[in-house]
Amino acid sequence: MSQQTARGGSAAWALVITSVAGFMAALDNLVVTTALPSIRKDLGGALPDLEWTVSAYTLTFAVLLMFGAALGDRFGRRRLFIVGITVFTASSAAAAMAPGIDSLIAARAVQGAGAAVMMPLTLTLLTAAVPEARRGMAYGIWGAVNGLAVASGPLVGGSLTEHISWQWIFWLNVPLGLILVPLARLRLAESHGTGAPLDLPGTLLASGGLFGIVYGLVRGPADGWTGAVVLTGLFAGTALLVGFVLYSVRAKNPMLPMRLFRSRAFSGINAASLLMFLGMFGSIFLLSQYMQGVLGYSPTEAGLRMLPWTGMPMLVAPIAGILSDRIGGRPVVATGLFLQALGLGHLAVVATADASYAAQLPALIISGIGMALYFAPASNLVMSSVRPKEQGIASGANNALREVGGALGIAIMASIFASRGGYESGQAFVDGMRPALVTGAAAVALAGVATLFIPARRRPTAPTSPPAGPTPEPVLETAS
């Protein structure tokens, strides 16, 4: 059993605190994309430098997620959660005050490290605070807020840049962080994992492997997939991850026990998460540019027109959480993923250089419902597929795979876009975006297929009548 110290903790406070923290971390994945022209105007820098303002965050976030979860399990989840918020808030202020592009990139890297500690612990702290019977709805609200943050990043970044300044993309995090730190200290209960010592060899292998792969994926579209640095990162990262798997199979206290993947539930939902984020991140990356660069909307106008997609999780995800409590997470997640795939496919079909909003609206609504049905039950499936002591590392592993999927999606879909189209004209952009969206739809459909391999939830059987006669003495079983 995990050790818990009640300190004014409650389910409601835990839900608010972890949802806001998750929103901050998820928002900063894509919030910078629509502000890049303004950042370049103020701070200078070549195109690769601007790309690194996005990639530096993604890289450290993905690489350190499992390590952050392991630190929380070892030294206290609430304690490390507060540390993560503090680092994230301070680096956000540093990014807002950055005097040059290099200091902005450095601040973004530290910001990603803070998010990597904070993000996986949101789910473990929420799970510890909410009774099992109500976790579906709690995960639904948590998932709705996180899904909204991922999808609305370009809207928030564009609106703040257009109406105030790009620095407010980062200043936004500061008051939220300053409020969350004392609230987390007073309202969250402390909990720990197994208490096992930190797995330093496993940490180095996993972090190095993820760094090499994500670095290669991030740099591939800009440097070329056959470049020496890109190939070195991809091959070295893969080799280190293989070494991590082989080491973890034999290690006494591994950071990520490989036996977890023997569970069809754990393997299935993690495969689905990676593929879902691959399709979703790449699609949002291109569609936000399509609405502004091709259809001529301002950043704010584009974000408002995407609200049927981005805002739908706030309405549907709590309902999805309740449904997952009643019928199980698998059918809800699978339905959501197939709807998301259908919506992306529809967008690929109707996209033209002068497409009307009415033609896109049904696809945006379908995609929004699909995304909402995915987020909440997926979190529930991850956390229920492992023992309570292992929920921290399970959350870290799932979030790491999501981030790798997002980086992979942007890299793959940007490469497809560049090979089939470009920025020369509206039609050239559409020619490149269509096959990329079809690829994203296919990835999300495969995620739905992966979900079908998760075992169905067993229904409780009705108790049978006791046999007539004297009640037999209970037989005590000893652990083998």
Side-chain angles (χ1 to χ4, degrees), residues 189-223:
E190 183 62 283
S191 64
H192 296 77
T194 60
L198 286 177
D199 178 16
L200 293 180
T203 298
L204 292 175
L205 287 169
S207 299
L210 288 173
F211 179 87
I213 290 177
V214 176
Y215 182 87
L217 294 175
V218 167
R219 300 308 309 164
D223 296 347

Side-chain angles (χ1 to χ4, degrees), residues 139-273:
Y139 290 147
I141 297 172
W142 182 91
V145 173
N146 279 266
L148 178 65
V150 171
S152 64
L155 166 63
V156 175
S159 298
L160 289 173
T161 301
E162 182 179 348
H163 298 295
I164 308 178
S165 71
W166 65 263
Q167 285 89 348
W168 276 93
I169 292 172
F170 304 110
W171 282 126
L172 177 66
N173 294 322
V174 175
L176 293 176
L178 292 176
I179 293 171
L180 286 181
V181 167
L183 281 179
R185 183 74 181 86
L186 295 172
R187 297 293 182 179
L188 293 180
E190 183 62 283
S191 64
H192 296 77
T194 60
L198 286 177
D199 178 16
L200 293 180
T203 298
L204 292 175
L205 287 169
S207 299
L210 288 173
F211 179 87
I213 290 177
V214 176
Y215 182 87
L217 294 175
V218 167
R219 300 308 309 164
D223 296 347
W225 293 103
T226 58
V229 175
V230 172
L231 288 177
T232 299
L234 293 174
F235 283 112
T238 301
L240 287 173
L241 285 184
V242 171
F244 170 70
V245 172
L246 296 176
Y247 163 81
S248 298
V249 169
R250 300 182 178 182
K252 182 178 180 181
N253 295 302
M255 181 175 68
L256 178 60
M258 290 297 109
R259 58 179 170 75
L260 296 181
F261 290 96
R262 298 175 190 166
S263 164
R264 284 166 51 197
F266 187 78
S267 297
I269 192 58
N270 278 290
S273 296

Side-chain angles (χ1 to χ4, degrees), residues 123 139-140 142-151 276-277 280-281 313 317 320-321 332-333 336-337 340 368-381 402:
L123 270 180
Y139 290 147
W142 182 91
V145 173
N146 279 266
L148 178 65
V150 171
M276 161 65 178
F277 271 66
M280 185 183 69
F281 260 59
V332 181
V333 171
L337 291 171
Q340 177 81 286
I369 294 174
M371 183 168 65
L373 291 176
Y374 161 81
F375 272 109
S379 301
N380 204 347
L381 286 171
R402 289 182 179 189

Side-chain angles (χ1 to χ4, degrees), residues 381-400:
L381 286 171
V382 171
M383 303 304 280
S384 62
S385 66
V386 298
R387 295 179 295 184
K389 290 182 179 180
E390 297 168 331
Q391 286 175 339
I393 196 58
S395 174
N398 183 256
N399 278 283

Side-chain angles (χ1 to χ4, degrees), residues 31 56 67 93 124 128 148 187 204 236 304 311 397 437 439 449 454 461:
V31 72
F67 183 52
T124 51
L148 178 65
R187 297 293 182 179
L204 292 175
L304 290 174
L437 287 181
T439 303
V449 173
I454 298 173
T461 57

